[in-house]
Coordinates of all heavy atoms in Angstrom, one line a residue:
A83 N 239.6 -148.2 38.2 CA 238.7 -147.8 39.3 C 239.2 -148.1 40.6 O 239.1 -147.3 41.6 CB 237.3 -148.5 39.0
Q84 N 239.9 -149.3 40.8 CA 240.5 -149.7 42.1 C 241.6 -148.7 42.4 O 241.8 -148.3 43.6 CB 240.9 -151.1 42.0 CG 239.8 -152.1 41.9 CD 240.2 -153.5 41.4 OE1 241.4 -153.7 41.1 NE2 239.3 -154.4 41.3
I85 N 242.4 -148.4 41.4 CA 243.5 -147.4 41.7 C 243.0 -146.1 42.2 O 243.5 -145.5 43.2 CB 244.4 -147.2 40.4 CG1 245.1 -148.5 40.0 CG2 245.3 -146.0 40.6 CD1 245.8 -148.5 38.7
A86 N 241.9 -145.6 41.6 CA 241.3 -144.4 42.0 C 240.7 -144.5 43.4 O 240.8 -143.6 44.2 CB 240.2 -144.0 41.0
G87 N 240.1 -145.6 43.7 CA 239.6 -145.9 45.1 C 240.7 -145.9 46.1 O 240.6 -145.3 47.2
W88 N 241.8 -146.6 45.8 CA 242.9 -146.7 46.7 C 243.6 -145.3 46.9 O 244.1 -145.0 48.0 CB 243.9 -147.7 46.3 CG 243.6 -149.1 46.6 CD1 243.4 -150.2 45.8 CD2 243.5 -149.7 48.0 NE1 243.1 -151.3 46.5 CE2 243.2 -151.0 47.8 CE3 243.6 -149.1 49.2 CZ2 243.0 -151.9 48.9 CZ3 243.4 -149.9 50.3 CH2 243.1 -151.3 50.2
R89 N 243.5 -144.5 45.9 CA 244.1 -143.1 46.0 C 243.4 -142.3 47.1 O 244.1 -141.6 47.8 CB 244.0 -142.5 44.6 CG 244.5 -141.1 44.5 CD 245.9 -140.9 45.0 NE 246.9 -141.2 43.9 CZ 248.2 -140.9 44.1 NH1 248.7 -140.3 45.2 NH2 249.0 -141.2 43.1
L90 N 242.1 -142.6 47.3 CA 241.4 -141.9 48.4 C 242.0 -142.3 49.7 O 242.2 -141.5 50.6 CB 239.9 -142.3 48.4 CG 239.1 -142.0 47.2 CD1 237.6 -142.5 47.4 CD2 239.0 -140.5 46.9
V91 N 242.3 -143.6 49.8 CA 242.9 -144.2 51.0 C 244.3 -143.6 51.3 O 244.6 -143.1 52.4 CB 242.9 -145.7 51.0 CG1 243.7 -146.3 52.2 CG2 241.5 -146.3 50.8
T92 N 245.2 -143.7 50.3 CA 246.6 -143.3 50.5 C 246.7 -141.8 50.8 O 247.4 -141.4 51.6 CB 247.5 -143.7 49.3 OG1 247.0 -143.1 48.1 CG2 247.5 -145.2 49.1
D93 N 245.9 -141.0 50.0 CA 245.9 -139.6 50.3 C 245.4 -139.3 51.7 O 246.0 -138.4 52.4 CB 244.9 -138.8 49.3 CG 245.5 -138.6 48.0 OD1 246.7 -138.9 47.8 OD2 244.8 -138.2 47.0
A94 N 244.4 -139.9 52.2 CA 243.9 -139.7 53.6 C 244.9 -140.1 54.6 O 245.2 -139.3 55.6 CB 242.6 -140.5 53.8
V95 N 245.6 -141.2 54.4 CA 246.6 -141.6 55.3 C 247.8 -140.7 55.3 O 248.3 -140.2 56.4 CB 247.1 -143.1 55.0 CG1 248.3 -143.4 55.8 CG2 246.0 -144.1 55.3
H96 N 248.2 -140.3 54.2 CA 249.4 -139.3 54.1 C 249.0 -138.0 54.7 O 249.9 -137.4 55.4 CB 249.8 -139.2 52.6 CG 250.4 -140.4 52.1 ND1 250.4 -140.8 50.7 CD2 251.1 -141.4 52.7 CE1 251.0 -142.0 50.6 NE2 251.5 -142.3 51.8
E97 N 247.8 -137.5 54.4 CA 247.4 -136.2 55.0 C 247.4 -136.3 56.5 O 247.7 -135.3 57.2 CB 246.0 -135.8 54.5 CG 246.1 -135.1 53.2 CD 244.7 -135.1 52.5 OE1 243.7 -135.2 53.1 OE2 244.7 -135.1 51.2
A98 N 247.2 -137.4 57.1 CA 247.1 -137.6 58.5 C 248.5 -137.9 59.1 O 248.7 -138.3 60.2 CB 246.1 -138.7 58.9
G99 N 249.5 -137.9 58.2 CA 250.9 -138.2 58.6 C 251.4 -139.6 58.7 O 252.4 -139.9 59.3
G100 N 250.6 -140.5 58.1 CA 250.9 -141.9 58.2 C 251.5 -142.5 56.9 O 251.7 -141.7 55.9
L101 N 251.9 -143.7 56.9 CA 252.5 -144.4 55.7 C 251.7 -145.7 55.5 O 251.3 -146.4 56.5 CB 254.0 -144.7 56.0 CG 254.8 -143.4 56.1 CD1 256.2 -143.8 56.7 CD2 255.0 -142.8 54.7
I102 N 251.6 -146.1 54.3 CA 250.8 -147.3 54.0 C 251.4 -148.2 52.9 O 251.7 -147.6 51.8 CB 249.3 -147.0 53.8 CG1 248.4 -148.2 53.5 CG2 249.1 -145.9 52.7 CD1 246.9 -148.0 53.6
Y103 N 251.6 -149.4 53.1 CA 251.9 -150.4 52.1 C 250.7 -151.2 51.7 O 249.7 -151.3 52.4 CB 252.9 -151.5 52.8 CG 254.4 -151.3 52.6 CD1 254.9 -150.0 52.8 CD2 255.2 -152.4 52.3 CE1 256.3 -149.9 52.7 CE2 256.6 -152.2 52.2 CZ 257.1 -151.0 52.4 OH 258.5 -150.8 52.3
C104 N 250.7 -151.7 50.5 CA 249.6 -152.5 50.0 C 250.0 -154.0 50.0 O 251.0 -154.4 49.6 CB 249.3 -152.1 48.5 SG 247.9 -153.0 47.8
Q105 N 249.1 -154.8 50.6 CA 249.3 -156.2 50.6 C 248.8 -156.9 49.4 O 247.6 -156.9 49.1 CB 248.8 -156.9 51.9 CG 249.3 -158.3 52.0 CD 248.7 -159.1 53.1 OE1 247.5 -159.2 53.3 NE2 249.5 -159.9 53.9
L106 N 249.7 -157.5 48.6 CA 249.3 -158.1 47.3 C 249.0 -159.6 47.5 O 249.8 -160.3 48.1 CB 250.5 -158.0 46.3 CG 251.1 -156.6 46.0 CD1 252.2 -156.7 45.1 CD2 250.0 -155.7 45.5
W107 N 247.8 -160.0 47.0 CA 247.2 -161.2 47.4 C 246.7 -162.0 46.2 O 246.0 -161.5 45.3 CB 246.0 -160.9 48.3 CG 245.3 -161.9 49.1 CD1 245.8 -163.0 49.7 CD2 244.0 -161.8 49.6 NE1 244.9 -163.6 50.4 CE2 243.7 -162.9 50.4 CE3 242.9 -160.9 49.4 CZ2 242.5 -163.1 51.0 CZ3 241.7 -161.1 50.0 CH2 241.5 -162.2 50.8
H108 N 247.0 -163.3 46.2 CA 246.3 -164.3 45.3 C 245.9 -165.4 46.2 O 246.8 -166.0 46.8 CB 247.2 -164.7 44.2 CG 246.5 -165.5 43.1 ND1 245.7 -166.6 43.4 CD2 246.4 -165.3 41.8 CE1 245.1 -167.1 42.3 NE2 245.5 -166.3 41.3
V109 N 244.6 -165.7 46.4 CA 244.2 -166.7 47.3 C 244.4 -168.1 46.9 O 244.4 -169.1 47.7 CB 242.7 -166.6 47.6 CG1 242.4 -165.2 48.3 CG2 241.9 -166.8 46.4
G110 N 244.7 -168.3 45.6 CA 244.8 -169.7 45.1 C 243.5 -170.5 45.3 O 242.5 -170.0 44.9
R111 N 243.6 -171.6 46.0 CA 242.5 -172.5 46.1 C 241.4 -172.1 47.1 O 240.4 -172.7 47.2 CB 243.0 -173.9 46.4 CG 243.6 -174.0 47.8 CD 244.1 -175.4 48.2 NE 244.6 -175.4 49.5 CZ 244.8 -176.5 50.3 NH1 244.5 -177.7 49.7 NH2 245.2 -176.4 51.5
I112 N 241.7 -171.1 47.9 CA 240.8 -170.6 49.0 C 239.8 -169.7 48.3 O 239.8 -168.5 48.6 CB 241.6 -170.0 50.2 CG1 242.6 -170.9 50.7 CG2 240.6 -169.6 51.3 CD1 242.1 -172.3 51.1
S113 N 238.9 -170.3 47.5 CA 238.0 -169.5 46.7 C 236.8 -170.4 46.3 O 236.7 -171.5 46.8 CB 238.7 -168.8 45.5 OG 237.8 -168.0 44.9
H114 N 236.0 -169.8 45.5 CA 234.8 -170.6 45.0 C 234.4 -170.0 43.7 O 234.6 -168.9 43.4 CB 233.7 -170.3 46.1 CG 232.4 -171.1 45.8 ND1 231.4 -170.8 44.9 CD2 232.1 -172.3 46.3 CE1 230.5 -171.7 44.9 NE2 230.9 -172.7 45.7
P115 N 233.8 -170.9 42.8 CA 233.4 -170.4 41.5 C 232.5 -169.1 41.5 O 232.6 -168.3 40.7 CB 232.6 -171.6 40.9 CG 233.3 -172.8 41.5 CD 233.7 -172.4 42.9

Side-chain angles (χ1 to χ4, degrees):
Q84 291 159 1
I85 292 171
W88 278 118
R89 177 55 85 169
L90 301 176
V91 173
T92 59
D93 280 351
V95 169
H96 292 149
E97 276 159 28
L101 294 165
I102 181 165
Y103 265 43
C104 182
Q105 193 186 44
L106 303 180
W107 194 28
H108 190 308
V109 297
R111 64 181 187 162
I112 306 301
S113 186
H114 187 274

